[in-house]
Amino acid sequence: MQKSDLLKKLQDIVGNERVSASAAELYCYSCDASQVRGMPDFVIRPANTEQISKIVSLANEKEIPVTARGAGTGLAGGAVPVEGGIVLDMSSMNRILEMDLGNLQVTIEPGIVQEKLNDALEPYGFFFPPDPGSSAMCTLGGLIANNGSGMRSVKYGTTRNYVLGLEVVMADGTVVNTGTKVTKSVAGYSLTDLFVGSEGTLGIITKATLKVRALPKERSVLLASFEDPEHAGEAVVKVLSSGIVPSACEILDRNIIEAINTYDPHIGLPKAGAILMFEVDGTENTVREGIEMIKDACSTLATSIRAASDKKERDEIWAARRLVGAAVSRLDPLRTRVYVGEDIGVPIKELPGMLHKVGEISKEFKLPIMTYGHIGDGNLHTGMCIDMLSDKEWDKLTKAADKIHLTAISIGGTVTAEHGVGSARAEYLGLELGKGLDVMILIKNALDPKGILNPGKMGV
Amino acid sequence: MNDSDMRSILKCVRCGTCRSVCPVFDVIGWESASSRGRMLVAHGLSQGMEADEGVFDSINTCTTCGLCEQMCPSGASPVKVIEDVRHQLVLQGKMTDAQKLLRTDAIEKGNPLGEEKDRMAWLGDSKNDVPEKADHVFFAGCLASYRYPELTKRTFDILRKFGVTVLQEEVCCGSPLLRTGSDPSELMSKNLEQIRKIGAHTIITGCAGCFTTLKNDYPDNIEVVHVAEFLADRLAEMDLKKLDLKVTYHDPCHLGRCNGVFDAPRQIIKSICYLEEMKSNREKSKCCGAGGGVLKGYPELSLELSKNRLEEIPKDVDYLVTACPLCRTNLKRGGPRVDVLDIIDLLEMAME
Ligand SMILES: Cc1cc2nc3c(=O)[nH]c(=O)nc-3n(C[C@H](O)[C@H](O)[C@H](O)COP(=O)(O)OP(=O)(O)OC[C@H]3O[C@@H](n4cnc5c(N)ncnc54)[C@H](O)[C@@H]3O)c2cc1C
């Protein structure tokens, strides 16, 4: 089919204003926040499920790839159309359809931004807990498709824990509903769980019913400084095994501390080899008790411990922490943060060892590696900044990232704890999953026999 | 593309923070209308992408409000890149009709409004009665001169008590040309020549666009202050009475965020009445939607931006005060619940 005929058909489905094939627009949708690139033929901003069903059905008939996209903040190329075709920008389907707070749930369209949902819930005293660093930008659709999580996952878990049901457009255009409004149901295979984390390769999510939680009454933040990341890693193991569940447990290494202080100078984090940022939430009593227990657990390992003085300081610290991954680019005018090899997860007991290994890899490749992340659930972000115009540095970065990935797998870890596989990490999936990947391929072939949904991703 | 722009584009990690704050993206919704998208389009152009309508709309819908730059975690400078791309395209003869008209009018008629009448008419009878030499000179600006002549006269009447004069043959400061990619040097020389003749060391202006241009693009041996700054320093000499009013204040982007003038207008307001801040204010304040050539080139978009800004007016205020005639014009277009005043209007109410 000629491109112009296809454009006409797509315009018939969504109207002229909702489809673009302009060079500028296509270029803008050829990447996300990763290094993956792929040029789409069309970008569509659908308005409803019916339009998506028609688009996907047409694409299936003509064997044209369809890639869903939320806000394009993904760090693995998930939303990049590596085989061309249609990009479905879901961000204009961004309504809250129902706030059923008596049942502790909301039903939303997938294009809503995480923070916007929480802004709407806050006046009622509720929140949607998974909070990635990108919460001001990323969509719920992207979070569900990637099973994203964030700083509070050590206590509240990942997005998967909050998805009760989905409306999904399948590869042939059929619309199915999964799950139930009941928090417990064992009726059949958990299709909801199959689509959560499927990165747009099995279906397009058009609606979601999500669990929400009551906002905690109190929060308190504690900063513990250490000589080096390894000591911090040991402290994390100690804290978590002491019985307390912090609502956040983040590590910042020396460079990251400097990056935060550069981004927002009046935060003034203490200089240290590493800092652990703990947050405890709950009632006034549980928070006080939790903070004391963390202080105790860290006392022999930390060089100093201090609490954030008030809500303002606490909010500022979190705001800066959220964006620090990008803010490390500020440390050197000629270098830019490149999100490659940035999302490993290891069992928590292996943390000190992994942190040590990262230090060695940094030395081996003479490449500064900055470490931060949700250390409470074993998730480390290893940040590398390079001169984007230097082939030599790209080469070092790729090799260092490969070594980081292989090391994580070798100690029972994962190449991606939350950012997703996309095409950036697809090559490691066989090694990490073994025969599990074959089962994934069987599922993919059964649900999308023509391979039109986000091809080139997840190793399927 | 120059090295510093390419470096700035490479700094962008495409995290999308700008998407979450860009007022234009909020209305349009397509990626090419966010700063991240515009940086990509700029990159595309450097790789040989053709400058078609899609490129124009991406590059020219930015109001240059700078909120993206303020919030950008990685330290990129999208506004500079966008203005440079506009300039490069104009050099190649590639521009929209709106850009062309703006340029022709500014250069041939001395103002981008296309006005042919006497620019200095606002001075009325005082025309032949202004000092030829002075330390301070008032730069009225195009919009104030032609659209708000009475306000401009009243502003000058306050200023002249402090020995301030005017440029008898003032022309456009060049801001609209700079923002939309054209060369303003001819206009700038005309103004500079007169400033030098008068012997002034300080220019005073009441327009945010003129302010940022005079301050950052004219030779740096001339000091530039906003009317609000000049008068905030002289409040004690002005015998103001307190008013039983509650007002809110819109920070013009090119005065506040881009040049750090936040306190002087607030100081004036607080010396007169009660100030309640808009939802977003100071460094994070939202754009009125008029800047960067958007009001001229994309009036409907500009109107939507204005309406969105007006939604941030707090309940129960009597006026929305601002310190720029362009902001005022566009905020009025948006159909505000309360009247929009220039800071001088408020000051005068307290002087009566
Ligand atoms: C500064 C920064 C900090 C970050 N911090 C975190 C963090 O702390 N934790 C974390 O988990 N992630 C983090 N991320 C990564 C990213 O924000 C998440 O992966 C997020 O979930 C992506 O959402 P998005 O809307 O941008 O999706 P996109 O990037 O647009 O898409 C992501 C994937 O979801 C699929 N998809 C999107 N919408 C749908 C839909 N409706 N139906 C089916 N598939 C769909 C896409 O095809 C793609 O595979 C961060 C990113 C940045 C830039």
Side-chain angles (χ1 to χ4, degrees), chain A residues 251-454:
Chain A
I251 186 167
L252 315 169
D253 78 1
R254 189 184 300 279
N255 293 312
I256 295 291
I257 296 167
E258 192 187 332
I260 291 190
N261 286 339
T262 312
Y263 178 53
D264 191 348
H266 79 276
I267 287 184
L269 289 176
K271 285 207 167 71
I275 290 179
L276 288 179
M277 291 168 54
F278 291 100
E279 185 194 74
V280 184
D281 68 5
T283 62
E284 210 176 305
N285 283 342
T286 52
V287 169
R288 199 178 326 111
E289 199 184 18
I291 290 286
E292 284 313 311
M293 283 170 76
I294 294 173
K295 274 189 189 162
D296 270 0
C298 292
S299 61
T300 55
L301 290 159
T303 51
S304 75
I305 300 180
R306 85 169 160 97
S309 56
D310 54 15
K311 180 175 181 308
K312 189 163 168 281
E313 187 184 1
R314 197 185 70 205
D315 290 350
E316 281 169 2
I317 290 176
W318 283 128
R321 160 58 192 91
R322 272 178 205 292
L323 293 174
V324 73
V328 291
S329 292
R330 285 184 180 245
L331 293 175
D332 180 338
L334 294 184
R335 286 166 183 270
T336 304
R337 167 74 196 279
V338 178
Y339 289 91
V340 172
E342 83 294 349
D343 188 37
I344 53 160
V346 296
I348 54 166
K349 195 162 61 66
E350 309 298 336
L351 276 170
M354 186 69 217
L355 285 161
H356 181 73
K357 199 75 196 170
V358 170
E360 280 183 3
I361 295 172
S362 168
K363 276 192 206 121
E364 179 187 341
F365 292 97
K366 296 193 180 63
L367 192 68
I369 301 182
M370 307 168 206
T371 312
Y372 63 103
H374 322 305
I375 192 168
D377 39 40
N379 185 188
L380 292 179
H381 296 321
T382 37
M384 298 183 260
C385 289
I386 59 163
D387 177 347
M388 304 282 279
L389 298 175
S390 158
D391 292 342
K392 228 170 106 196
E393 297 213 353
W394 273 111
D395 185 52
K396 281 205 284 186
L397 172 113
T398 317
K399 289 187 173 135
D402 184 53
K403 205 148 192 180
I404 290 172
H405 284 144
L406 295 177
T407 308
I409 294 176
S410 74
I411 56 174
T414 176
V415 290
T416 177
E418 60 179 20
H419 293 169
V421 180
S423 44
R425 286 176 268 266
E427 62 181 294
Y428 297 99
L429 236 54
L431 187 61
E432 187 175 327
L433 302 181
K435 292 230 162 49
L437 181 60
D438 300 337
V439 178
M440 277 176 56
I441 293 169
L442 285 173
I443 296 174
K444 167 75 176 173
N445 290 342
L447 297 185
D448 179 18
K450 293 189 181 171
I452 61 152
L453 293 176
N454 209 358

